[in-house]
Amino acid sequence: PKQVDEALSSAASLVFGAGLMFSNWGNRMRNDKENLNKLPVLEDQTVYMKAGGDPNIFYYHSYYELKKDEALIIKAVIPKKCFFWNFQLNNHWMESLDYCFFPIHINSERAKYDTDNGNKCVYIVVSNDEYVNKQNTLPKKYRDFKVNWLNTAYHNKGTMLFRWLCTEDYQHPTTEVVKLVS
């Protein structure tokens, strides 16, 4: 009984601590208005390693907030040596959105690719449900690109994560918020 009690107390502490950590990260990202809808570069990834991160991964955590008629466009140039990459949308507490019914993530295996100046790249478009896969609602400069649409699953704000795994000589992804046309 004593071992069970200690194990349950330890598990409860872990659950409480993880929830508090992710809530604090969400609050910090939401309050960082300079990096809202961007994927800021945190060269020192120690904070992620202390939380159990993989040293073979470079993480970009941030916060998105979009109006109903806006989209976030992320462009990532794919390095020649890249084992894997992915991008996902989460709620404020960094929990995955509903991936069973909404396209809320994309990765190197599922993505459609395009090129830019001879470089392989991926365009990810994050928008409200009613605009998903409606290429003609994008600004003209993006309409001919092969894009990967993701859905906010009715969350106009939350956290997002892009990560490179076992990748060398990568460029940091860029972002742009655009107005969608009806």
Side-chain angles (χ1 to χ4, degrees), residues 102-119:
F102 299 96
I104 58 94
H105 61 91
I106 191 75
N107 63 45
S108 54
E109 300 301 314
R110 294 182 43 239
K112 295 183 281 186
Y113 292 97
D114 212 315
T115 57
D116 182 36
N117 293 324
N119 295 309

Side-chain angles (χ1 to χ4, degrees), residues 94-173:
M94 301 175 77
E95 299 166 319
S96 171
L97 297 182
D98 183 353
Y99 56 84
C100 289
F101 297 101
F102 299 96
I104 58 94
H105 61 91
I106 191 75
N107 63 45
S108 54
E109 300 301 314
R110 294 182 43 239
K112 295 183 281 186
Y113 292 97
D114 212 315
T115 57
D116 182 36
N117 293 324
N119 295 309
K120 180 179 176 181
C121 64
V122 64
Y123 290 92
I124 303 166
V125 179
V126 175
S127 71
N128 184 287
D129 181 62
E130 69 186 76
Y131 290 100
V132 170
N133 293 324
K134 295 183 179 170
Q135 197 90 358
N136 62 334
T137 63
L138 289 171
K140 288 182 182 181
K141 74 178 189 175
Y142 291 109
R143 288 186 190 167
D144 293 329
F145 291 135
K146 295 174 187 164
V147 300
N148 299 273
W149 286 86
L150 299 183
N151 189 316
T152 61
Y154 302 104
H155 288 76
N156 68 332
K157 58 186 169 184
T159 61
M160 58 183 171
L161 166 65
F162 187 101
R163 55 189 161 190
W164 298 114
L165 172 61
C166 297
T167 304
E168 294 178 6
D169 299 322
Y170 51 87
Q171 297 176 29
H172 300 299

